Amino acid sequence: MNLRAFNKQIYLSLGAFVTIVVVWLAGFLPSAQTTPANPLPSWNNGATKQAIIKFVTRVTTANSPDFVPVEDRIATFDNDGTLWAEQPVVEGLFVLEKIKAMVIAAPSLREQQPYKAVLMGDVDYFRRKGEVAITELAMLTHGNVTQTQFEVETRRFFDTATYPKLNLPVTQIGYKPMRELLDYLRANGFQTWICSGGGIDFMRQISEPLYGIPPQQAIGSAGKEEFIEKEGKFVIWKLPELSRINDKEGKPIGIDLHIGKRPIFAAGNERSGGDIAMLTYSHQQQPSFQLLIDHDDGDREFAYREPDNASLNAAAANGWHVVSIKNDWRTVFSHVNPHMRASDSQA
Amino acid sequence: MNLRAFNKQIYLSLGAFVTIVVVWLAGFLPSAQTTPANPLPSWNNGATKQAIIKFVTRVTTANSPDFVPVEDRIATFDNDGTLWAEQPVVEGLFVLEKIKAMVIAAPSLREQQPYKAVLMGDVDYFRRKGEVAITELAMLTHGNVTQTQFEVETRRFFDTATYPKLNLPVTQIGYKPMRELLDYLRANGFQTWICSGGGIDFMRQISEPLYGIPPQQAIGSAGKEEFIEKEGKFVIWKLPELSRINDKEGKPIGIDLHIGKRPIFAAGNERSGGDIAMLTYSHQQQPSFQLLIDHDDGDREFAYREPDNASLNAAAANGWHVVSIKNDWRTVFSHVNPHMRASDSQA
């Protein structure tokens, strides 16, 4: 081999070696901005998917006029009907199960309201009493308990409960396309939050394994609490009183309390108009993206509509993006949830 | 040059080049776990500094029996007297300035309480009326305003206000050793939070530039809010009513509301017993570390003591680490704050 050939070979080796080092080191680089070729595989390749990708590309492209710095990439998601099924609402199953357990522990409750109405399936009782009775029920089952004990009860529920109509563990009723969307946003530097009418302590037990959202990024309805001494130990004691309801106009307030920034991406669903205020609040920020899920797939999920159509009307008036489950989602449920680990988290 | 010499030189060049590439790329690697040789340069090399480093090493060393996973490395810090000076409390300066501005805008207020008492420096008025009058004052200056307008007022204050006794901009009264401690904890995978009796919206305007703590990691006292339409636009409207006070027993409750996890590191200071509950709450978690600052340096900062000595007594009884500013801190204030950028954040 002459010197020139040797020289060339060394440089080729050098090039190959540097390439290997660079590729190897690149594996340690922060993953933001590195999005797989097809980031939302469970979404059909329609207008909604394209609009999501276009928006994310717009706000994450450096030097673009719509570039949003990482610290302002806040995304908020409703939970029931947006991240998982809500026919029935999962927390309602927990309430039912706990009422039964309370009656077994103290049988005299069987003749008292609202226990009696729950056990008899007396829907009329709750229709008559209205929202007050629902709140009372929630507080009875979420209060008069230490935070630690409530966590134990909640985890036990998530480890064992079955979702009736789908006949699946409750931990397997999350929407696969929405989990992909959460992952996609996080891969692009977004901080993802739950903002739901559900109980904050209840959701926190599954937000990480189901959605990759840590407990401190859950916003929900909350009861009053006290820090008091019980049997020689200070505990967080959950009172059977409501502190705040994180629904409708309560959602922007909850976002302001917990985040202090407007979300540039917000997702909700139609059923009760519960997400209109949150989407309105997000929409005031520009650039921003609003997503509203329309439950129009009775075959694969559930088909239902808001009586007054307020959410879909607001979406049409404001240009929010409507997800048709039937047309936009290739797959609805994952049925197997590799992320679930409720039982082994924070024992 | 013979082949062997050439060969050697190429390999030396190759080695040097790879080193350059590696060093250059290393600059992009996540900084967690990479702690400088002397992580707390403004701390004297005494027992407190050693205890901090020993604890952080213990909980971050893989395979150690006391290893704590990154997601549970929560650290909470009181603000007034713990991260910056509190003689007087900075938010009190804001209240005073705003009351003056309110009277200029509406001169008839001059004859009304509590405006009159504030303008006359009538301390007796507030002593007579007690905590109710202080709360009223806070609500008058923090309420009846949109969240956006309040942010503008707060930022203007931070851009212009001078801290009286130190004759420094209020943005330069942070404790340098505590900023180093925050940086050190973050470099070791901790998530750092403020947990203060101060107003949450007030602190959020400076938590990032002063302490490297994003707005969503501030926990504080909060007023009630509404999401309402004003002049054709929906706004967060701050009501002149208190929602919750994040002091004393309110601190564990605030931590539970915003984080949902117990801090394994908690820092406060003695003055009013305001941090005893937070440190007690943190201490129940093991392993954990509690820090209490004793203001014992009248020369470089301020010397003051709690009348009943409750915080220092609790520290002694529980083995919490007491910081003597006089002995533990080599430097107290940075006087130049390279992190400050309140005026250019989120316009």
Side-chain angles (χ1 to χ4, degrees), chain A residues 3 6-7 10-11 13-14 17-18 21-22 25-26 28-30 71-72 74 147-148 151 191 193 200-201 204 215-218 222 225-227 233-237 249 252-253 255-262 277-278 280-281 284 341 346, chain B residues 3 6-7 10-11 13-14 17-18 21-22 25-26 28-30 71-72 74 147-148 151 191 193 200-201 204 215-218 222 225-227 233-237 249 252-253 255-262 277-278 280-281 284 341 346:
Chain A
L3 191 60
F6 177 78
N7 201 336
I10 282 291
Y11 277 100
S13 306
L14 179 87
F17 183 69
V18 168
V21 170
V22 168
L25 280 167
F28 295 93
L29 296 178
E71 63 267 28
D72 293 329
I74 303 289
Q147 186 65 282
T148 307
E151 285 167 17
Q191 195 175 57
W193 291 71
I200 189 166
D201 306 326
R204 275 177 171 161
Q216 61 268 44
Q217 284 164 223
E225 296 181 343
E226 284 180 336
F227 187 63
K233 210 188 155 189
F234 278 91
V235 296
I236 302 265
W237 183 251
E249 278 67 31
I253 305 302
I255 290 169
D256 190 54
L257 175 65
H258 287 266
I259 313 180
K261 287 186 177 191
R262 252 175 241 256
M278 174 168 77
T280 301
Y281 184 56
Q284 292 181 343
R341 48 167 187 84
Q346 318 166 43
Chain B
L3 191 61
F6 176 78
N7 200 336
I10 283 290
Y11 277 102
S13 307
L14 178 88
F17 183 70
V18 168
V21 170
V22 168
L25 279 167
F28 295 93
L29 296 179
E71 64 266 27
D72 293 329
I74 303 289
Q147 185 65 283
T148 307
E151 285 168 15
Q191 194 175 56
W193 290 70
I200 187 165
D201 306 326
R204 275 177 172 162
Q216 61 268 45
Q217 284 163 223
E225 296 181 343
E226 284 180 336
F227 187 64
K233 210 188 156 190
F234 278 92
V235 295
I236 301 267
W237 183 251
E249 277 68 31
I253 304 303
I255 291 168
D256 190 54
L257 176 65
H258 287 265
I259 313 180
K261 287 185 177 191
R262 253 174 239 255
M278 175 169 76
T280 301
Y281 184 55
Q284 291 181 344
R341 47 167 188 83
Q346 320 166 41

Side-chain angles (χ1 to χ4, degrees), chain A residues 154-218:
Chain A
T154 315
R155 274 204 295 276
R156 193 186 302 138
F157 169 80
F158 282 118
D159 283 343
T160 56
T162 297
Y163 197 74
K165 291 176 197 163
L166 300 170
N167 203 26
L168 287 169
V170 289
T171 50
Q172 289 183 20
I173 61 158
Y175 302 134
K176 195 163 181 247
M178 295 304 282
R179 172 70 205 230
E180 288 171 4
L181 176 55
L182 288 165
D183 289 341
Y184 173 63
L185 290 172
R186 286 190 290 259
N188 283 281
F190 281 74
Q191 195 175 57
T192 53
W193 291 71
I194 292 178
C195 182
S196 162
I200 189 166
D201 306 326
F202 182 77
M203 296 184 297
R204 275 177 171 161
Q205 296 306 318
I206 43 88
S207 64
E208 174 72 52
L210 256 69
Y211 312 131
I213 296 175
Q216 61 268 44
Q217 284 164 223

Side-chain angles (χ1 to χ4, degrees), chain B residues 151-152 155 342-347:
Chain B
E151 285 168 15
V152 170
R155 274 203 296 275
S343 59
D344 61 13
S345 75
Q346 320 166 41

Side-chain angles (χ1 to χ4, degrees), chain A residues 248-327:
Chain A
K248 298 195 167 87
E249 278 67 31
K251 290 200 177 194
I253 305 302
I255 290 169
D256 190 54
L257 175 65
H258 287 266
I259 313 180
K261 287 186 177 191
R262 252 175 241 256
I264 66 163
F265 192 108
N269 74 297
E270 58 91 55
R271 176 181 56 119
S272 61
D275 294 315
I276 297 172
M278 174 168 77
L279 270 53
T280 301
Y281 184 56
S282 166
H283 193 188
Q284 292 181 343
Q285 187 81 3
Q286 284 303 328
S288 66
F289 193 98
Q290 291 73 40
L291 200 71
L292 185 83
I293 296 172
D294 183 14
H295 294 271
D296 62 356
D297 192 335
D299 292 334
R300 296 187 301 166
E301 204 239 354
F302 304 100
Y304 50 98
R305 268 287 159 87
E306 240 166 55
D308 61 1
N309 218 42
S311 298
L312 286 168
N313 290 347
N318 292 292
W320 301 339
H321 299 268
V322 174
V323 172
S324 155
I325 293 185
K326 196 172 189 165
N327 300 320

Side-chain angles (χ1 to χ4, degrees), chain B residues 13 15 45 115-116 140 157 166 182 193 225 312 332 339 342:
Chain B
S13 307
N45 215 358
Y115 304 92
K116 192 176 170 183
L140 283 173
F157 169 79
L166 300 170
L182 288 165
W193 290 70
E225 296 181 343
L312 286 168
V332 177
H339 307 287

